[in-house]
Amino acid sequence: MPQTPKPAPKLRDQLHAIIRTKHYSLRTEKTYWYWIRYFIRFHRLRHPRDMAEAEVAQFLTWLATHKNVAAATQNQALNALVFLYKHILQQPLQHIDGIARAKKPRKLPVVLSHAEAISVIGQLPHPHRLIASLMYGAGLRVSEACRLRIKDVDFNLHRLVIRSSKGGKDRTTLLPQTLFTELEELIAQRTHQHASQSGMPAPVTLPYALADSVFLHPQIRRASKPQHPCRNLLRCGCVAAA
């Protein structure tokens, strides 16, 4: 008997697979799926394969004229749809005409003075104070501060190694000496907690298969070689719950 052909994977599954293959961040995947789903609903659940440049232009124009989105938001939606048609549907969009572009206003950024920043950080409880201090003193994003591993903290060279940052790139940044004591105490606490509570789930999204390699099942952990403490994470959510 002839075999029944397998149904084509859903758009969501295709997007997930391609995003993972290209090593894009989870936030990018969620953002792209949000705009793809918004685009489909805007056109009354028509499949994107049955639409093209005209429908994309209509959607982007509606965002600017009716939803009053910012220019960056409109560009984000455009990038998601370009990715959809190029990498998932294999129908690259040609030149899109007639889009009403959202205007990008020129605004001066609001910057806190050093005294104001220190005052705000001082009002935060632990461990949020340490997260904010790392963001302010080392220029980290929230996700970067929460995903730091012990091996990424170099006290000798006064630096932090930021892995799989924006665009999947690694970089280094300065580690403020004023945070040495707090970080050393946190590392000691997390190392002890990791040794006594192996197999606990990660409260933050870890890149690629790192979650499986760090947070092994307790039985697998006991059967394997002891892990170096640098495999642990400075996971602020667990510290707050401790």
Side-chain angles (χ1 to χ4, degrees):
M1 296 179 61
Q3 295 183 350
T4 304
K6 295 182 179 179
K10 297 180 179 179
L11 275 179
R12 182 69 178 88
D13 297 332
Q14 295 181 61
L15 174 68
H16 175 76
I18 295 176
I19 287 286
R20 295 279 71 79
T21 301
K22 293 183 174 294
H23 291 173
Y24 287 6
S25 68
L26 179 62
R27 178 171 296 182
T28 299
E29 178 184 342
K30 290 181 177 179
T31 301
Y32 279 11
W33 178 241
Y34 170 83
W35 287 115
I36 291 171
R37 187 173 55 180
Y38 204 158
F39 173 67
I40 294 172
R41 290 180 175 177
F42 174 78
H43 287 290
R44 300 182 182 275
L45 303 183
R46 291 173 59 191
H47 196 284
R49 190 182 299 107
D50 302 327
M51 298 183 282
E53 291 83 357
E55 287 79 8
V56 171
Q58 182 183 0
F59 174 65
L60 296 175
T61 298
W62 177 80
L63 288 178
T65 57
H66 289 76
K67 302 299 288 185
N68 297 319
V69 300
T73 303
Q74 189 185 43
N75 289 334
Q76 191 179 73
L78 174 60
N79 292 337
L81 297 179
V82 168
F83 186 91
L84 166 68
Y85 279 93
K86 181 178 180 180
H87 297 288
I88 299 178
L89 300 179
Q90 303 295 320
Q91 300 174 10
L93 296 172
Q94 304 303 318
H95 186 67
I96 305 175
D97 297 318
I99 300 178
R101 306 296 296 187
K103 294 183 179 180
K104 185 176 182 179
R106 294 185 178 181
K107 295 182 179 180
L108 293 176
V110 177
V111 180
L112 296 177
S113 67
H114 178 70
E116 291 173 332
I118 296 301
S119 176
V120 171
I121 293 174
Q123 302 300 316
L124 299 175
H126 183 76
H128 303 95
R129 182 177 63 252
L130 179 57
I131 297 176
S133 299
L134 285 170
M135 294 172 61
Y136 180 69
L140 303 186
R141 299 178 178 89
V142 175
S143 59
E144 294 170 348
C146 292
R147 286 167 52 173
L148 275 177
R149 289 178 286 171
I150 293 177
K151 65 179 293 184
D152 300 332
V153 181
D154 192 333
F155 291 106
N156 293 327
L157 296 180
H158 291 211
R159 73 175 186 180
L160 297 172
V161 179
I162 312 302
R163 305 183 188 277
S164 301
S165 183
K166 189 173 183 179
K169 299 177 181 179
D170 296 349
R171 76 176 195 277
T172 59
T173 186
L174 296 177
L175 172 60
Q177 191 170 1
T178 54
L179 300 179
F180 276 25
T181 301
E182 279 193 86
L183 283 173
E184 288 171 343
E185 292 176 354
L186 179 61
I187 288 173
Q189 180 183 6
R190 296 300 299 118
T191 302
H192 173 74
Q193 186 177 12
H194 178 67
S196 60
Q197 299 181 13
S198 60
M200 57 188 173
V204 296
T205 303
L206 302 177
Y208 316 130
L210 184 59
D212 295 333
S213 63
V214 175
F215 302 98
L216 295 176
H217 192 274
Q219 283 74 15
I220 301 177
R221 171 76 68 181
R222 287 193 289 268
S224 61
K225 295 182 179 179
Q227 297 291 320
H228 193 276
C230 71
R231 300 287 290 177
N232 198 7
L233 294 175
L234 298 176
R235 293 171 298 137
C236 303
C238 285
V239 176

